[in-house]
Amino acid sequence: MNLTEWAKAQGVHPQTARRWFREGTLPVPAMRVGPRTILVNIEANQAIDVVGGVGLYARVSSHDQKADLERQTARLVEWATKAGRRVVRVECEVASGMSGARAKVRRLLADPAVMTVVVEHKDRLGRMNVELVEAALAAHGRSLVVLDEGEAGDDLVRDITEVLTSFCACLYGRRSASNRARRALEAAAK
């Protein structure tokens, strides 16, 4: 299969797929057969996981974090490649974690070929109620994999921070809500 066709089928921009090929991070075997032609060997990748594959999801909150979005996607692709997992969809978006109206995450969650959703941090999927998404996935025999569980701390502190972030988002706007919530918690601690 042509790399451009593969990229469109995966929901990845063809330029991104070509960059992954140049960098050696393309999650499927591929080889250059001409000056502009790159062929992807999808049969070798399908033999790894017949039942379903993984969907990779990366998100940042603002356009000035675009470089971080690319690094986040590269880390997810690297994990999938090392784990030998078949990537069936890659979704990257610039959107607020407080908003439930994110087209790309909805598309990823609705795709029946995605049996495992992989995110780098839990808050990349959403700022609140990620456990509900995880439960809904589990009810359909699917799962959520969080690569970096480092943010797991005291549940009560995390819950209060999420509620305070939500209130600040309503009062002050979504962009600065997280910073205001953090400052409010620091002031309350003093």
Side-chain angles (χ1 to χ4, degrees), residues 21-187:
F21 177 76
R22 280 192 313 271
E23 295 171 351
T25 59
L26 192 68
V28 293
M31 61 186 272
R32 183 176 298 278
V33 294
R36 293 181 174 253
T37 308
I38 300 170
L39 294 180
V40 176
N41 184 1
I42 58 172
E43 289 81 21
N45 199 37
Q46 287 175 341
I48 295 171
D49 189 5
V50 177
V51 177
V54 298
L56 307 177
Y57 181 69
R59 180 190 64 79
V60 293
S61 299
S62 63
H63 289 284
D64 60 337
Q65 297 173 318
K66 200 77 160 167
D68 185 43
L69 183 64
E70 291 178 3
R71 285 190 298 269
Q72 198 178 127
T73 305
R75 287 189 296 265
L76 290 170
V77 168
E78 181 183 0
W79 174 85
T81 304
K82 286 181 181 176
R85 304 297 301 268
R86 181 172 63 103
V87 177
V88 294
R89 184 175 217 98
V90 177
E91 295 291 349
C92 308
E93 72 184 329
V94 178
S96 171
M98 297 294 291
S99 172
R102 290 179 277 143
K104 292 186 177 183
V105 74
R106 286 180 176 212
R107 198 170 31 218
L108 178 76
L109 294 172
D111 188 346
V114 175
M115 295 304 291
T116 305
V117 177
V118 182
V119 294
E120 190 172 33
H121 298 283
K122 196 177 271 191
D123 69 343
R124 297 298 89 198
L125 190 58
R127 290 288 182 187
M128 298 177 68
N129 299 325
V130 175
E131 292 81 11
L132 295 176
V133 174
E134 195 170 6
L137 287 170
H140 292 280
R142 300 162 76 192
S143 62
L144 173 68
V145 173
V146 180
L147 299 183
D148 186 4
E149 291 281 355
E151 74 230 17
D154 186 18
D155 286 343
L156 182 59
V157 172
R158 186 174 49 83
D159 290 344
I160 289 173
T161 303
E162 288 175 354
V163 169
L164 194 55
T165 301
S166 176
F167 287 149
C168 289
C170 293
L171 288 173
Y172 305 116
R174 297 190 189 280
R175 180 169 288 186
S176 64
S178 179
N179 290 335
R180 290 180 189 266
R182 183 183 41 78
R183 285 187 292 220
L185 284 173
E186 289 172 357

